[in-house]
Amino acid sequence: MQSAHLLVTGGAGFIGANFVHYWLAQHPCDRVVVLDALTYAGNRASLAAAEGNPNFRFVHGNILDLGLVEGLLRDEKIDTIVHFAAESHVDRSIHGPDAFIETNVVGTHTMLKAAKSVWLDSVQSPLDGGGGSGRGHRFHHVSTDEVYGSLGPDDPAFTEDTPYAPNSPYSASKAASDHLVRAYHHTYGLQVTTSNCSNNYGPYQFPEKLIPLVLLNILHGKALPIYGDGKNIRDWLYVEDHCRGIDLVLQRGAVGGVYNIGGHNEWTNIDIVTLICRLVDEAIAQDPVLAQRFPQAPAAQGKAADSLITYVKDRLGHDRRYAIDARKCRTELGYAPQESFETGIRKTIVWMLANEAWWRAVMDGSYRDWLDRQYGG
Ligand SMILES: NC(=O)c1ccc[n+]([C@@H]2O[C@H](COP(=O)([O-])OP(=O)(O)OC[C@H]3O[C@@H](n4cnc5c(N)ncnc54)[C@H](O)[C@@H]3O)[C@@H](O)[C@H]2O)c1
């Protein structure tokens, strides 16, 4: 089979970086070009393991730069776009929605325009390679279950036919981008697929998100903030299982298709925090070196981590429950997640404990200095 040439936008972010490592391992002959603006959430250090690979290239740039994206599509003979780049944090969207409209809506539209112009409108598509290779193209858009709105306790989980009802500026901007992707397929024939995934967790997740935040706060003996009554429910998926789902959509998904990716794994926030408390307490109790490395962790002082739980004022417009019905993915694509929540959380904890330099640098911003030293800026 001919090797694919991927452009991965947002590949220095949490899921994007995991996807790059996953893809290079699973498809070693493919070329992977990352386009990332390195906003506060982007971290080139997350791609360090790929840097020496001749099939990998990092481009520091913005998806809003139409000329740059068109140039990359042509020069790199890109046949597959996997579009992760986005502003992704709901809390930030509440305080500053503009960046979300700019990147998630206008940025996605810029990516679509570039793909249309190079793949569909050019007199000679670079995918013909001058020799008429006839290789197809694919624009895969990575979206979220939050576009479907909030569920009541007994409502059925979101299917691909659930009407959109986004509630936060983040989910509204993602919904708008989903509609643009759909429109470019129906209007212009762009070969698109979209996946809507539940909450992810795992290595390289920026420490402002719930699971890494809780983990690091326990290690530092800091309060564990829980919104409202802690009973909000999210459906959690280990990030590599998300990457595997996107791979299946790319290989077997129907052009124009939408796929919900999830693991039927609903947890209240408070239960997650309690689970992480228990697992970290156990890890520290079993390993005296950890107690020395993290002397402020409650378990290092003979206390339980759940003593740090602190309830805080609820997030504005906080959606109560998300749940993904992933049956279509399972029956049409043969998708099944490989991690249970407990195995995935354990892996995440082990990764965080083994990668202290990564998260310390992310937290104090010095990873930018590290990058300068490592890669010359
Ligand atoms: N994290 C989740 O639980 C989750 C769940 C479902 C879907 N998603 C979607 O997956 C995608 C990735 O999410 P994530 O959690 O990895 O996000 P993230 O915030 O960790 O990463 C986003 C990346 O995009 C880059 N970026 C932002 N604006 C850019 C721009 N204008 N040009 C180029 N690059 C830009 C950032 O530098 C960063 O590297 C998003 O589209 C998000 O909506 C996330």
Side-chain angles (χ1 to χ4, degrees):
M1 205 175 88
Q2 207 168 19
S3 63
H5 292 205
L6 274 70
L7 178 63
V8 179
T9 70
F14 160 47
I15 307 176
N18 279 282
F19 181 81
V20 168
H21 298 310
Y22 167 89
W23 198 272
L24 289 170
Q26 298 296 320
H27 307 273
C29 296
D30 288 357
R31 175 135 179 96
V32 175
V33 178
V34 164
L35 174 63
D36 198 296
L38 296 180
T39 66
Y40 78 96
N43 183 350
R44 197 166 157 190
S46 302
L47 292 168
E51 294 281 351
N53 187 325
N55 284 338
F56 170 79
R57 178 183 168 199
F58 179 82
V59 177
H60 184 192
N62 201 305
I63 57 167
L64 289 152
D65 185 340
L66 182 66
L68 172 66
V69 179
E70 286 180 349
L72 283 175
L73 294 181
R74 279 203 189 88
D75 298 346
E76 290 283 354
K77 294 189 169 33
I78 299 293
D79 51 47
T80 307
I81 293 172
V82 188
H83 178 41
F84 290 97
E87 290 289 340
S88 71
H89 192 39
V90 177
D91 286 342
R92 286 180 186 254
S93 84
I94 293 168
H95 299 295
D98 299 62
F100 287 72
I101 306 306
E102 192 66 9
T103 291
N104 300 1
V105 184
V106 184
T108 299
H109 188 230
T110 306
M111 292 300 303
L112 290 164
K113 279 198 294 188
K116 173 178 175 292
S117 117
V118 174
W119 286 341
L120 302 180
D121 301 343
S122 298
V123 177
Q124 186 183 36
S125 164
L127 296 188
D128 293 336
S133 73
R135 220 160 63 199
H137 68 259
R138 177 69 70 85
F139 187 112
H140 182 74
H141 178 55
V142 181
S143 193
T144 165
D145 59 354
E146 304 196 23
V147 297
Y148 299 120
S150 183
L151 292 170
D154 301 319
D155 289 339
F158 303 127
T159 72
E160 290 78 359
D161 297 323
T162 303
Y164 274 30
N167 290 321
S168 71
Y170 164 65
S171 53
S173 67
K174 291 298 289 185
S177 66
D178 294 6
H179 292 319
L180 285 167
V181 171
R182 177 190 160 90
Y184 266 66
H185 172 62
H186 284 268
T187 307
Y188 305 113
L190 196 69
Q191 295 178 18
V192 307
T193 38
T194 297
S195 52
N196 295 83
C197 189
S198 51
N199 277 35
N200 284 216
Y201 67 97
Y204 301 114
Q205 187 163 29
F206 198 75
E208 69 185 355
K209 301 281 173 78
L210 179 71
I211 288 175
L213 180 91
V214 166
L215 191 45
L216 295 182
N217 280 12
I218 295 173
L219 296 179
H220 295 104
K222 289 191 187 158
L224 307 178
I226 308 279
Y227 280 130
D229 62 2
K231 298 281 172 56
N232 297 66
I233 294 174
R234 299 292 179 264
D235 196 345
W236 290 90
L237 189 69
Y238 189 64
V239 62
E240 205 175 285
D241 281 328
H242 184 186
C243 299
R244 196 170 291 115
I246 294 172
D247 191 358
L248 281 174
V249 175
L250 285 170
Q251 310 298 333
R252 300 184 196 158
V255 169
V258 174
Y259 295 88
N260 283 356
I261 302 177
H264 295 285
N265 182 40
E266 291 182 52
W267 283 70
T268 62
N269 287 346
I270 186 65
D271 285 346
I272 288 180
V273 173
T274 311
L275 172 69
I276 299 174
C277 286
R278 177 168 65 76
L279 294 178
V280 176
D281 285 350
E282 278 172 20
I284 293 177
Q286 284 161 14
D287 183 353
V289 176
L290 281 180
Q292 279 165 15
R293 278 173 64 194
F294 304 107
Q296 288 153 324
Q301 303 170 4
K303 292 187 247 167
D306 60 11
S307 60
L308 297 171
I309 290 174
T310 310
Y311 289 90
V312 299
K313 191 166 171 285
D314 208 355
R315 168 192 278 169
L316 289 175
H318 202 177
D319 285 341
R320 196 65 180 164
R321 173 176 168 241
Y322 305 139
I324 278 270
D325 182 337
R327 266 178 298 182
K328 180 178 174 188
C329 234
R330 195 172 64 228
T331 52
E332 280 190 22
L333 310 180
Y335 175 72
Q338 292 187 358
E339 299 296 336
S340 72
F341 196 49
E342 187 142 340
T343 60
I345 287 283
R346 279 187 195 278
K347 278 191 172 181
T348 307
I349 294 174
V350 168
W351 187 89
M352 288 293 249
L353 291 172
N355 288 275
E356 187 175 343
W358 180 88
W359 53 258
R360 281 211 185 278
V362 172
M363 288 168 82
D364 67 14
S366 67
Y367 70 88
R368 294 188 190 280
D369 303 335
W370 178 81
L371 283 178
D372 285 343
R373 284 199 305 279
Q374 189 84 356
Y375 306 118

